[in-house]
Amino acid sequence: MPVLKQGGPGLMRIFEAGKAAAAAEVELLQQKAMRLGRQAAFLVAAAILGFFSLITGHALLWAIFLFKFGFGPVGAPAAVFGLDIFLALAFVFFGRHSYLLPAEVEARMSRDRHYNELRQAASIAAVATTVTGPVGRFAGRKMWNIVSRRRRT
């Protein structure tokens, strides 16, 4: 949707560009909220598994001290502890990395494009207002007077 059409942009064009820019900003914020929500869910899962790892670690230490490094009853808590640590690290890895999804990148590009269209429409409207307003008419009359005086001489 090009902003510049024949006849110049009107006030409605500026509002349309502003509306499109606002819609693109809403889309960007929705995509960002989804990404941050996913990241928070991974971090909560990592915290829960980290808590269980602490409990298992205490049980493991208890079993090690109780059986003096025996492998029978210690093997099971050690395996659970290792699995908890592995999963907690995996969830921390997934939770700490922020991946931009293609939809969020597209929303950013759309927002930026609509903001640029809004700036162009507003600047052209300001120039058109200046030229057609009182200042423009005054400058036009002065220029016409200068040109018409030169023709007479």
Side-chain angles (χ1 to χ4, degrees):
M1 171 174 64
V3 172
L4 303 175
K5 285 193 170 182
Q6 191 171 11
L11 191 57
M12 293 304 290
R13 274 293 189 208
I14 294 172
F15 289 132
E16 288 175 12
K19 184 178 173 184
E25 183 71 23
V26 167
E27 176 69 22
L28 175 65
L29 290 175
Q30 286 175 344
Q31 292 297 326
K32 190 174 184 180
M34 288 174 43
R35 178 174 49 91
L36 291 176
R38 206 174 6 258
Q39 189 175 2
F42 280 126
L43 290 174
V44 166
I48 291 171
L49 286 174
F51 175 71
F52 288 136
S53 295
L54 287 174
I55 294 171
T56 305
H58 285 97
L60 179 62
L61 287 175
W62 175 78
I64 288 174
F65 287 132
L66 181 64
F67 296 110
K68 296 183 183 179
F69 303 103
F71 289 105
V74 174
V80 171
F81 181 67
L83 183 63
D84 284 345
I85 290 292
F86 174 75
L87 290 175
L89 290 175
F91 281 117
V92 165
F93 175 76
F94 287 132
R96 290 298 302 150
H97 284 80
S98 180
Y99 299 105
L100 288 176
L101 297 177
E104 187 174 354
V105 172
E106 184 178 324
R108 284 179 188 267
M109 290 172 44
S110 175
R111 178 200 61 187
D112 293 342
R113 185 176 62 248
H114 290 301
Y115 277 151
N116 287 334
E117 288 177 1
L118 177 62
R119 281 189 211 112
Q120 287 176 357
S123 65
I124 289 175
V127 169
T129 302
T130 303
V131 170
T132 61
V135 174
R137 288 191 301 265
F138 176 77
R141 267 188 254 127
K142 290 295 182 187
M143 291 299 291
W144 180 255
N145 290 338
I146 292 170
V147 170
S148 65
R149 269 191 248 152
R150 286 196 180 179
R151 283 186 189 170
R152 284 186 233 157
T153 47

